[in-house]
Amino acid sequence: MNKTFKNIFYVFLQQFVNTILPFLTIPYIARVLGVEQNGVYSYSLTIVNLFAVFFALGFAVYGTNEIAQSTGEKRNIKYIEIQVLRMSCLIVGLVLFLCFLNMYKIPYDITVFSLQSLVILSSIFDNSWYYQGTGNFKKIVTRNIVVKIVGTLSIFLFVKHPEDLDIYIILISGSQLLGNVILFVETIHLFKYLKLIKFKNLWRHLKVSLVLFLPNISVFIYSSFDKLLLGHIGDIEGLSNYQQVQRIITFAYAFLIIPSPVLIQKVAFLRSKIKHKEADSIISKGLNFYSIVGLLVIFLILLSSKEFITLFLGDEYNQAVKLFILVSPVLLFKCIGTVIGLWYLVPLGKNKLHSFPLVIGTVFSVMINSLITPYFGVVSAAVIFTLTELIVIFIQLIYSRNLFIFIELKTLLLFFTIFLISFMIVKIIFLRGYGIDGILLIGFLKVSLFLIFSITTSLCIQTTRCFIKDINGLLKKVPHRP
């Protein structure tokens, strides 16, 4: 197996570890800590992440590219320059966060917020960007697997009661800190190049990182500002329900885009060989595939949200059922946005067109949330979040009008009709009830019947059958650079 395929495998493995293992702890933590403690955790984590993301700037993305393009002593010097800058900024962020805790009257347990400073401390020692730049994905993934497994097992062993929130934070952030320190120690010997650092290089690194920082902070603000507001106005129960729903959507999104790194590499390779038709064909298939899968998941959520939330989170999270439905379109928007942004715009060098919609979305989210959420609470936050994602994808589509010819509208409408009819049939069946009891059984039957009706009908129609067959070629062997 060549290095390219090894790295793709490690990326797959890393995504699996970063999404599946944390997802397994959601039902357990939701029940053990309860709604209120989960809300406090979400509020405190959102605040500390604001400092961590802001003061990390864009050094990770920039540093990875710089390291990848350098070799030998030059690479080592660049690493030290960027790492010193990054660590310095995050240390400032840590100090300001601790000052913020002393100045701002936290209406909840101050110990919880203090312990969350481990998140920033962990970021200070994070140099995974260096290993990504050198192509050493194996080391990063091995570290992540060990950290995630130890952290997950520790949660099940030591977190037993709502009062164990402090222990939960220490286990989550502490295990990450330990993993980062282990990798950091392996590069300690490179600090001998400190004496070769030049101020003009530091200033150049800082300027470019600030530019790359804009889309990162934009995404973070519009996905976190509503949570800050909910915590500030005291709707801690609503925040807890909202955060759990977003975690489920995030997991589903991460799971669906697992093939994305492979296909991005495939598109980039074809572009480099001036094979634009083949590259456009992949983007077209990706757009249509994710549109259909996104619609499928939305209908499944509409059909079985009550059963899923009750089984997954528990009866205590009754608010989450409505929020799950309101936020479900975000999954469709994010998948399509990934194809437009990372498959199409970025490989063509249109980075500004990729970032601009995120900035607009941030401005919209902050303004509308500030006006509405304090009065209407978590429901308005969920609606605004969904509208923000819609605005971002709409602006991206305006700037990528060429993609409209890639969309197979007839096929999409056919699948939508199939899903709608299947949805209505299942709804009618369960309106009658037929004496079926048990949430698990009802949820299983709803999903099973919907999928059976949808898949069977799709295979009976030539257009949809041809589309399904065509999609099978999307993940054929990825070409690699010689």
Side-chain angles (χ1 to χ4, degrees), residues 217-430:
I217 195 64
S218 296
V219 171
F220 179 78
I221 289 174
Y222 85 66
S223 63
S224 303
F225 184 74
D226 48 6
K227 300 186 191 73
L228 292 173
L229 270 179
L230 291 170
H232 181 70
I233 65 177
D235 188 5
I236 207 70
E237 185 176 333
L239 172 58
S240 181
N241 281 270
Y242 185 43
Q243 177 69 12
Q244 297 293 5
V245 165
Q246 284 204 348
R247 290 179 73 183
I248 295 169
I249 293 293
T250 300
F251 165 78
Y253 165 71
F255 181 78
L256 287 176
I257 64 161
I258 281 179
S260 189
V262 181
L263 296 170
I264 289 171
Q265 188 268 339
K266 190 172 183 179
V267 169
F269 174 81
L270 292 171
R271 294 283 189 211
S272 69
K273 297 296 183 182
I274 323 295
K275 296 181 178 180
H276 296 300
K277 286 186 178 180
E278 290 90 336
D280 290 344
S281 175
I282 293 173
I283 293 168
S284 175
K285 290 177 183 178
L287 272 176
N288 291 288
F289 172 74
Y290 279 120
S291 296
I292 291 166
V293 171
L295 284 173
L296 175 66
V297 175
I298 290 172
F299 274 105
L300 285 171
I301 292 172
L302 290 173
L303 195 62
S304 59
S305 58
K306 183 179 180 180
E307 290 79 15
F308 177 81
I309 292 297
T310 303
L311 286 168
F312 193 71
L313 299 177
D315 294 323
E316 205 176 359
Y317 294 83
N318 57 318
Q319 259 188 306
V321 176
K322 183 192 297 182
L323 299 176
F324 197 27
I325 292 171
L326 290 173
V327 175
S328 60
V330 169
L331 183 61
L332 172 63
F333 301 150
K334 288 177 76 69
C335 286
I336 294 175
T338 297
V339 176
I340 296 173
L342 300 182
W343 297 23
Y344 181 70
L345 292 175
V346 173
L348 291 176
K350 299 180 179 181
N351 295 309
K352 290 183 179 179
L353 296 184
H354 176 50
S355 303
F356 177 70
L358 300 176
V359 177
I360 298 298
T362 301
V363 173
F364 171 82
S365 177
V366 171
M367 288 179 59
I368 304 302
N369 268 303
S370 299
L371 293 172
I372 297 177
T373 298
Y375 303 100
F376 296 97
V378 68
V379 172
S380 63
V383 172
I384 293 167
F385 178 61
T386 302
L387 287 175
T388 301
E389 292 286 354
L390 177 60
I391 287 171
V392 170
I393 195 71
F394 180 73
I395 296 172
Q396 284 184 330
L397 282 170
I398 289 175
Y399 281 110
S400 312
R401 287 186 294 271
N402 293 338
L403 291 179
F404 284 117
I405 62 173
F406 295 163
I407 299 173
E408 298 178 21
L409 191 58
K410 180 183 175 182
T411 303
L412 294 183
L413 287 173
L414 266 174
F415 274 104
F416 176 79
T417 305
I418 291 169
F419 296 154
L420 181 59
I421 293 172
S422 301
F423 172 82
M424 292 173 67
I425 291 172
V426 176
K427 269 291 186 182
I428 291 169
I429 290 173
F430 282 89

Side-chain angles (χ1 to χ4, degrees), residues 464-481:
T464 52
R465 189 168 63 245
C466 291
F467 175 82
I468 293 170
K469 185 178 179 181
D470 195 35
I471 286 296
N472 289 332
L474 190 61
L475 282 172
K476 284 182 179 179
K477 185 178 178 181
V478 181
H480 59 276
R481 299 177 191 278

Side-chain angles (χ1 to χ4, degrees), residues 40 43 47 100-110 113:
V40 173
Y43 184 43
I47 291 176
F100 165 80
L101 293 184
N102 289 320
M103 294 172 60
Y104 178 66
K105 292 183 179 180
I106 303 291
Y108 310 104
D109 186 359
I110 190 66
F113 288 77

Side-chain angles (χ1 to χ4, degrees), residues 40-49 52 94 97-98 101 110-122 165 168-170 172-173:
V40 173
Y41 174 74
S42 299
Y43 184 43
S44 60
L45 184 63
T46 302
I47 291 176
V48 75
N49 274 336
L94 178 60
F97 174 71
L98 296 175
L101 293 184
I110 190 66
T111 305
V112 171
F113 288 77
S114 301
L115 287 174
Q116 291 286 21
S117 62
L118 287 170
V119 171
I120 304 176
L121 190 61
S122 175
L165 177 57
Y168 177 63
I169 293 172
I170 292 171
I172 289 290
S173 302

Side-chain angles (χ1 to χ4, degrees), residues 113-184:
F113 288 77
S114 301
L115 287 174
Q116 291 286 21
S117 62
L118 287 170
V119 171
I120 304 176
L121 190 61
S122 175
S123 295
I124 290 173
F125 292 99
D126 182 17
N127 64 350
S128 56
W129 54 271
Y130 169 74
Y131 292 97
Q132 289 176 13
T134 58
N136 196 349
F137 287 90
K138 181 180 180 179
K139 187 161 287 190
I140 304 170
V141 173
T142 304
R143 186 277 311 266
N144 281 350
I145 290 173
V146 174
V147 167
K148 294 291 183 184
I149 291 176
V150 171
T152 301
L153 291 176
S154 299
I155 288 169
F156 289 116
L157 288 172
F158 299 110
V159 182
K160 302 291 185 181
H161 310 285
E163 297 78 23
D164 294 337
L165 177 57
D166 294 353
I167 298 174
Y168 177 63
I169 293 172
I170 292 171
L171 291 175
I172 289 290
S173 302
S175 59
Q176 188 63 46
L177 172 61
L178 178 62
N180 287 348
V181 168
I182 290 171
L183 285 187
F184 179 79

Side-chain angles (χ1 to χ4, degrees), residues 436-462:
I436 300 173
D437 294 317
I439 292 176
L440 178 60
L441 179 60
I442 291 172
F444 175 76
L445 288 175
K446 280 183 176 181
V447 171
S448 299
L449 288 173
F450 176 79
L451 291 175
I452 289 170
F453 289 146
S454 298
I455 294 171
T456 303
T457 308
S458 300
L459 293 175
C460 289
I461 301 172
Q462 186 178 1

